[in-house]
Each structure stands twice: as structure tokens, then as C-alpha cells.
């Protein structure tokens, strides 16, 4: 196929596009040979992409620093009948803010022929932006050296606790090894929301780049959350049914639990419906999930919460009216006391008042000004903190076990992975396929240290009876 020479086709029309008060001079052609191509791929701030831009090349990549949480992207088509839309053929064709999670962020630029009733995708360009972790050039940790012990409760640019210090603070401890020995002797926590903060070893608490972030621990002030072995976990969760209801952050905890109890994760999808998994722990443990709320539907078409709870219960039956049945509810910002009232009322109606109840508290997210996504101001984040406290108090009054995800995530809010909400602290990756004589089976792994932290807190609370027996 003959390739059109770059910029040799004379342009017969000039279009001026206005975005946010800025003029962008777009030249375009009516020659159909230019239909699949873009003339420019632009970012703000300007990123150096590899390879250098050519309309014949469709794949590009670049690295950005840990501190860059967002980029504005847009592109123009060479042909006057095309628009370049972001991520979807119905997506925006204007300059668009894009959140950058840690690791790879794949942005698609779809060249769309808009001369038809339905848009036709005639080509796709991709830009892979890899946001480096703060640890990307971290030297190997040497525990023999005398590292200072630093703590982090909140970042100074998202100060939701206005009366508390922000940034790294130096702890009153001689060194990291001594401090870890001290906390190893703490009693096990008897609640899932014991007040705490992140601690980590640093050369200096005034320089975050001197810290070893891979060693960071979530540390309650007066107790410790115990991590169970897989054998103890299998013993604890035998005969249990875990029913998760909530959004993708709760689903991430569920997948982590599935991998921990089975030692591997063989089933995974981003379900937005109801799923039941009965093949865990050699068939001794069942896990089910109902997605709520379905944000993408019009408000008057979204399933109501009591209906979602009812459907989850029916799909998970048979259920015992005792602590072998566990309901775990949680989300980023939508959860309110009215949902807990509804859950309790539905359980009473189904004669399940004796089951165990767990709430995953709110979490960091929606802090970047992304198109079509509501972002919270500092004042709104501070109100969210107050709302989270009230929600936790209400849940405790009705004997919910409370798992703290708000404090754990707000201090590390920059460590989110890809997603418009900037609220996900995990991702599932596919490992090498296992070759089986009968079939080829995929295995998956849940990545994300922060998700692992609060998932382990959940498991330690679900299995707290093991600690009292030992």
C-alpha cells in the first residue's frame, strides 16, 4: 500500500478550535488518503515521547516522575471529516485531563470518521505513559545501617486533618531495627481501625528521597495487626461464606482474599454484576460479590441498595444465620448510614440477624480534576473525614467490624494506580500460563502494597478467634 508523504498534501481548509479560551490552529485536508492519520499528538505539560512523532507510527511511550499525577492530552486528525477521540469512539475530542496512576497508563487516541450516522474508527494511536514510583531509583535497603524512623499521617498538599502535622515526621526511636523489635512485642489489635500512621526508615525525615518506601509499614500506635500463615487462614475460613458488596475497591480486597486463601488466583474479572466463587480452600470457603452502585447508569435506572443486597443473598444461598456468614460492605465515597440501615433491615427480613458484619471505610480518591468525574476540594475532603468518622461510629453501634481504609489511603493518596477516580490501590496482573495436559489455565496476582495492608487487616479481624485460642 502506498503511504502518503508527510505534510505534502496541500491543505484546502483551516479550522480554529477553541478550548478553555485557547486557540488551536488546526489544518486539515479533504483528501481521503489522509483519513486514518493524525497530524499532531499533544500533551500538557509537553512530554518527550519515544519514538519521535510520525503520523505513520501508532505506538509511543514515555516516563514521568512520581509527582506528576495528571496530564492533559489531545490530538487532531489530518482529514477534515475526522476527530480524534480519547479511549472510546464516543469519548472526548477536546484536550482532556488524564490521571496517571503508578506504573503504566495506556491512553488510546481513536481516529473517528464523523461523516456517518455512527462514528467509524479508522485508526488507533496509543501512548503508554509510565509513572515512576517514588522508589524507582531506591538503593537496596541495608538494615544494619542506622536509619531514622519517620512517620506519615498526611501529605501537606492534601491536609485533611487540619490540626495535625503534615509530611514526614521524625519518631522518637533510636533506629529502625530497634523500633521494629519494639512493635513486634505489641499486643495484637482488637479492632480493625486502631489509630495509626505509616512508618518507614529514612536517612533523614526532611528528605523523602532518602527513605526506603518499600519498607513502609502501617503501624497502629499501641498494637499490631498480625499476618496469618496460609495454613491458619485456611483453617479460619473453612465453612465460611464471605459476601462482598460495594465498588471496585471492595472487589480488590475480595480478589486479594481469594488469592491468599487459595495460594493463587485462577479466576478474575472486573465484574459489575454478581459473581459467586465456590472453589476456594478446597471447596471449604465461598466468596461472592455484588457491584454497587452502578454509577454509569442514569440515576433512575440504577438498582437500589436493598435490591442489590437481596440478590447477593439469594445467589449465595444456602446461608447460615451465624458467624459462618460474613457480609463485607464498602466503597470509596458513596457509602452512608442509610446504606447500613438498609442492609440491617434486609438481613432482618431474610432471618439473618446473627451473621457477622464488616464495613470497609471510605478511601482516598477523586482528588484530580478529570473530565466528567467530580473532584473534591480540600474543604470537601475535610468534610469527608468527618463523614467517615460518623459512619464508623454508627457501624460500631450496630456491631459492625470496622476496617480502616480511609487513614491508610489518604496518607498515600499519590500511590493510586490507573483509573479516572484515582482511588484504586491495586491491580490484577496475569502471570505465566500453567501448561496442563488437559487445558491451559491462567493465573493472576493482585499487586498493590496498600491494598494488601488493609486486606490483611480484614483477615486478621475475621480470624481474631485464632489469636485468643493460641
Amino acid at each position: 500500500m502506498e503511504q502518503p508523504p508527510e505534510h505534502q498534501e496541500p491543505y484546502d481548509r483551516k479550522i480554529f478550535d477553541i478550548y478553555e479560551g485557547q486557540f488551536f490552529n488546526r489544518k486539515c485536508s479533504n483528501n481521503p488518503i489522509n483519513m486514518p492519520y493524525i497530524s499532531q499528538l499533544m500533551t500538557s505539560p509537553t512530554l518527550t515521547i519515544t519514538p519521535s512523532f510520525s503520523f505513520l507510527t501508532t505506538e509511543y511511550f514515555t516516563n514521568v516522575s512520581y509527582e506528576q499525577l495528571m496530564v492533559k492530552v489531545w490530538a487532531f486528525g489530518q482529514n477534515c471529516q475526522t476527530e480524534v477521540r480519547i479511549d472510546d469512539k464516543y469519548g472526548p475530542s477536546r484536550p482532556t485531563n488524564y490521571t496517571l496512576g503508578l506504573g503504566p497508563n495506556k491512553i488510546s487516541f481513536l481516529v473517528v470518521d464523523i461523516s456517518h450516522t455512527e462514528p467509524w474508527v479508522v485508526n488507533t494511536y496509543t501512548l503508554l505513559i509510565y509513572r515512576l514510583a517514588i522508589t524507582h531509583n531506591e538503593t537496596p535497603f541495608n538494615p544494619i545501617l542506622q536509619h531514622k524512623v519517620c512517620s506519615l499521617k498526611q501529605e501537606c498538599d492534601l491536609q485533611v486533618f487540619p490540626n495535625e502535622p503534615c509530611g514526614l515526621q521524625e519518631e522518637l526511636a533510636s533506629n529502625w531495627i530497634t523500633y521494629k523489635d519494639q512493635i513486634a512485642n505489641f499486643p495484637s489489635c482488637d479492632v480493625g481501625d486502631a489509630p495509626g500512621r505509616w512508618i518507614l526508615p529514612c536517612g533523614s525525615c526532611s528528605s523523602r528521597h532518602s527513605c526506603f518506601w518499600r519498607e513502609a509499614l502501617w503501624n497502629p500506635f499501641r498494637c499490631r495487626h498480625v499476618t496469618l500463615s496460609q495454613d491458619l487462614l485456611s483453617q479460619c475460613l473453612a465453612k465460611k461464606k464471605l459476601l462482598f458488596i460495594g465498588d471496585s475497591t471492595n472487589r480488590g480486597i475480595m480478589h486479594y482474599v481469594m488469592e491468599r486463601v487459595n495460594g493463587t488466583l485462577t479466576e478474575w474479572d472486573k465484574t459489575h454484576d454478581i459473581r459467586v466463587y465456590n472453589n476456594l480452600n478446597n471447596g471449604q470457603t465461598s466468596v461472592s460479590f455484588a457491584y454497587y452502585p452502578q454509577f454509569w447508569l442514569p440515576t433512575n435506572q440504577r438498582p437500589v441498595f436493598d435490591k442489590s443486597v437481596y440478590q447477593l443473598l439469594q445467589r449465595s444461598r444456602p446461608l447460615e444465620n451465624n458467624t459462618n456468614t460474613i457480609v463485607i460492605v464498602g466503597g470509596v465515597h458513596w457509602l452512608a448510614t442509610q446504606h447500613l440501615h438498609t442492609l440491617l433491615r434486609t438481613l432482618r427480613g431474610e432471618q439473618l440477624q446473627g451473621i457477622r458484619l464488616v464495613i470497609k471505610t471510605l478511601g482516598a480518591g477523586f482528588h484530580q480534576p478529570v473530565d466528567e468525574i467530580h473532584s473534591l476540594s480540600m474543604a470537601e475532603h475535610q468534610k469527608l473525614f468527618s463523614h467517615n468518622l460518623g459512619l464508623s461510629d454508627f457501624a460500631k453501634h450496630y456491631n459492625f467490624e470496622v476496617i480502616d481504609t480511609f487513614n491508610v489511603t489518604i496518607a498515600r493518596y499519590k500511590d493510586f494506580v490507573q483509573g479516572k477516580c484515582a482511588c484504586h490501590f491495586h491491580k490484577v496482573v496475569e502471570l505465566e500460563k500453567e501448561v496442563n495436559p488437559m487445558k491451559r489455565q491462567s493465573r493472576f496476582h493482585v499487586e498493590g502494597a496498600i491494598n494488601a495492608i488493609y486486606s490483611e487487616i480484614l483477615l486478621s479481624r475475621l480470624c481474631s478467634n485464632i489469636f485468643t485460642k493460641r
Side-chain angles (χ1 to χ4, degrees):
M1 175 180 172
E2 182 181 353
Q3 301 290 353
E6 189 169 7
H7 296 313
Q8 288 188 11
E9 169 66 28
Y11 293 95
D12 60 9
R13 198 172 73 177
K14 183 180 288 186
I15 298 176
F16 288 92
D17 288 302
I18 304 177
Y19 297 112
E20 299 178 355
Q22 300 181 52
F23 284 87
F24 294 93
N25 184 356
R26 178 196 174 189
K27 296 179 179 179
C28 61
S29 166
N30 286 320
N31 190 329
I33 201 169
N34 291 318
M35 183 71 75
Y37 305 112
I38 66 175
S39 58
Q40 302 172 77
L41 192 160
M42 291 167 285
T43 67
S44 178
T46 301
L47 304 178
T48 302
I49 60 175
T50 302
S52 298
F53 177 74
S54 165
F55 70 95
L56 297 177
T57 303
T58 58
E59 296 182 355
Y60 301 89
F61 69 92
T62 187
N63 291 338
V64 298
S65 72
Y66 172 78
E67 296 298 334
Q68 185 162 340
L69 308 184
M70 191 175 65
V71 66
K72 190 186 293 286
V73 296
W74 70 101
F76 293 133
Q78 289 191 17
N79 193 282
C80 297
Q81 293 184 178
T82 63
E83 286 184 353
V84 181
R85 299 182 176 177
I86 309 297
D87 279 346
D88 183 89
K89 68 178 182 179
Y90 299 106
S93 59
R94 61 186 182 279
T96 302
N97 287 340
Y98 206 96
T99 53
L100 298 177
L102 286 180
N105 298 268
K106 184 178 179 181
I107 307 176
S108 298
F109 299 84
L110 285 70
V111 184
V112 174
D113 182 353
I114 59 173
S115 64
H116 306 277
T117 304
E118 285 289 313
W120 289 6
V121 178
V122 294
N123 201 1
T124 301
Y125 292 75
T126 59
L127 174 60
L128 184 68
I129 303 178
Y130 195 96
R131 181 169 156 243
L132 299 171
I134 195 170
T135 58
H136 76 278
N137 59 358
E138 190 175 289
T139 57
F141 178 65
N142 185 350
I144 298 176
L145 298 179
Q146 296 292 305
H147 298 98
K148 291 188 179 298
V149 180
C150 305
S151 63
L152 178 67
K153 181 66 183 287
Q154 62 181 339
E155 292 283 13
C156 294
D157 47 10
L158 191 61
Q159 197 166 346
V160 298
F161 317 114
N163 298 321
E164 297 190 30
C166 63
L168 289 174
Q169 304 293 315
E170 187 169 344
E171 293 284 308
L172 296 176
S174 56
N175 59 64
W176 180 250
I177 296 177
T178 303
Y179 188 80
K180 286 194 71 176
D181 289 342
Q182 290 174 355
I183 62 177
N185 293 317
F186 282 5
S188 59
C189 297
D190 58 5
V191 292
D193 64 338
R197 74 283 192 224
W198 288 93
I199 59 165
L200 66 164
C202 301
S204 168
C205 297
S206 62
S207 173
R208 61 193 302 118
H209 290 286
S210 74
C211 299
F212 293 85
W213 290 88
R214 293 188 185 98
E215 305 296 319
L217 303 171
W218 176 256
N219 182 216
F221 290 102
R222 296 183 177 87
C223 62
R224 64 188 177 96
H225 295 294
V226 180
T227 301
L228 282 78
S229 67
Q230 188 179 344
D231 286 344
L232 284 176
L233 190 61
S234 297
Q235 174 188 332
C236 160
L237 295 183
K239 300 182 181 180
K240 299 288 194 301
K241 288 194 173 184
L242 280 63
L243 286 64
F244 290 82
I245 182 165
D247 58 27
S248 52
T249 60
N250 215 24
R251 188 178 59 205
I253 296 176
M254 178 192 71
H255 284 131
Y256 181 93
V257 170
M258 291 170 62
E259 182 176 5
R260 275 282 274 126
V261 72
N262 255 20
T264 186
L265 186 63
T266 56
E267 291 186 72
W268 170 77
D269 61 51
K270 292 183 178 180
T271 182
H272 292 90
D273 199 352
I274 296 177
R275 288 291 305 270
V276 179
Y277 305 91
N278 291 314
N279 60 339
L280 301 174
N281 202 11
N282 295 317
Q284 298 182 88
T285 305
S286 172
V287 170
S288 53
F289 174 77
Y291 192 97
Y292 182 89
Q294 296 180 336
F295 300 101
W296 58 92
L297 294 176
T299 305
N300 60 355
Q301 295 181 24
R302 295 175 187 172
V304 292
F305 188 64
D306 56 353
K307 182 179 179 181
S308 298
V309 173
Y310 176 79
Q311 290 176 339
L312 175 63
L313 296 174
Q314 301 313 310
R315 289 283 298 274
S316 304
R317 288 190 182 278
L319 297 171
E320 301 177 33
N321 185 29
N322 55 40
T323 55
N324 283 338
T325 302
I326 305 165
V327 170
I328 301 120
V329 60
V332 184
H333 292 170
W334 57 268
L335 191 63
T337 55
Q338 68 193 51
H339 296 103
L340 302 187
H341 267 304
T342 299
L343 174 59
L344 292 167
R345 185 176 63 249
T346 305
L347 292 173
R348 283 196 300 270
E350 295 299 310
Q351 302 298 308
L352 291 171
Q353 305 97 314
I355 70 172
R356 192 168 186 181
L357 299 171
V358 181
I359 177 176
K360 177 198 92 66
T361 64
L362 309 184
F366 300 95
H367 44 73
Q368 298 301 307
V370 179
D371 293 15
E372 300 176 355
I373 297 290
H374 174 64
S375 61
L376 276 64
S377 66
M378 183 66 74
E380 287 172 319
H381 274 100
Q382 292 171 352
K383 288 180 181 178
L384 192 69
F385 164 59
S386 298
H387 171 57
N388 190 69
L389 284 178
L391 189 63
S392 298
D393 288 344
F394 180 90
K396 289 176 184 178
H397 180 75
Y398 287 97
N399 298 317
F400 282 76
E401 183 79 55
V402 177
I403 306 301
D404 179 19
T405 52
F406 184 82
N407 292 282
V408 173
T409 57
I410 208 73
R412 302 281 299 275
Y413 82 96
K414 295 179 182 179
D415 290 351
F416 63 90
V417 298
Q418 186 174 18
K420 289 183 177 181
C421 68
C423 64
H424 299 132
F425 293 89
H426 76 282
K427 64 178 179 179
V428 181
V429 296
E430 186 173 7
L431 304 175
E432 292 183 6
K433 294 180 184 292
E434 292 181 336
V435 178
N436 183 297
M438 302 298 295
K439 64 178 181 178
R440 184 179 291 272
Q441 186 178 42
S442 294
R443 292 188 304 120
F444 304 92
H445 171 60
V446 183
E447 292 185 345
I450 296 173
N451 179 76
I453 289 287
Y454 49 70
S455 297
E456 289 291 349
I457 294 174
L458 168 66
L459 292 174
S460 72
R461 297 308 307 144
L462 294 183
C463 300
S464 58
N465 62 317
I466 287 181
F467 306 137
T468 57
K469 290 178 181 178
R470 295 175 70 189

